Amino acid sequence: RDFGGTQAVKFFGQHTGNSRFGFALFDADYQMKQLCANKVPTGVPDFKSYFELAMEDYEAELKRCDGDVSPHEESNRFWFYPRDPTFVKNGNDITIREYGVQLLTEKQLVDKTKGKIKSLRGKTNQHAVTFSKEFTRRYDEIATIHPRYLRLKSLFNQVIISKLMLYEHIDLKNVNYFLREYRVPEYEIPHEVAGVDISREMSHGITNPHYYG
């Protein structure tokens, strides 16, 4: 399996795939991977991609070393998730606070011999965490330049409101129709996309081996 080659697009959950909702999730996620790899600039001042953060550290290590530096090869996954909202209830009024989108990350173990990737739950990479937290903190700035993230935030907000209605047992006829009877129109989504490769070949001035970041 070529982890930097063609990747299959997969969806989990009923009605998500082949829907406009699913396309919005795919579109935001795929571009986020490109921003992460510095293939697409965010346009936000002083915002560094995961690739830039990792390479700055690795280049500094190369300058400090005596030639004895092994190749770095790590894999991290990133995904969007709704921020845990805070609900304030006052009689029949409910106010939703501190909601939005967050970017999460965790390490992965790549087994090239078996062509498989295993998530290392609870394990994180320093640069991946820095990138994820900064993306979350400056999400609205990024969304101003890349409107697809405004659409993603709007969809996540709808999910939060739907969960609130379920939790509070709010029974609205029109909403129930959309949740239980509405036929979701199909939307064309690619089954495969080009992988986002973030490797880089480097050489040391003393021993001149090749390194991969």
Side-chain angles (χ1 to χ4, degrees), residues 187-199:
Y187 196 87
E188 186 174 348
I189 300 175
H191 297 291
E192 294 180 333
V193 294
V196 181
D197 182 16
I198 63 171
S199 64

Side-chain angles (χ1 to χ4, degrees), residues 32 35 54 64 83 100 102 139 147 164 180 185 191 203:
M32 177 268 292
L35 294 173
R64 293 192 303 266
R83 295 178 62 181
Q102 60 181 327
Y139 186 93
L164 172 62
R180 298 183 175 89
H191 297 291
S203 61

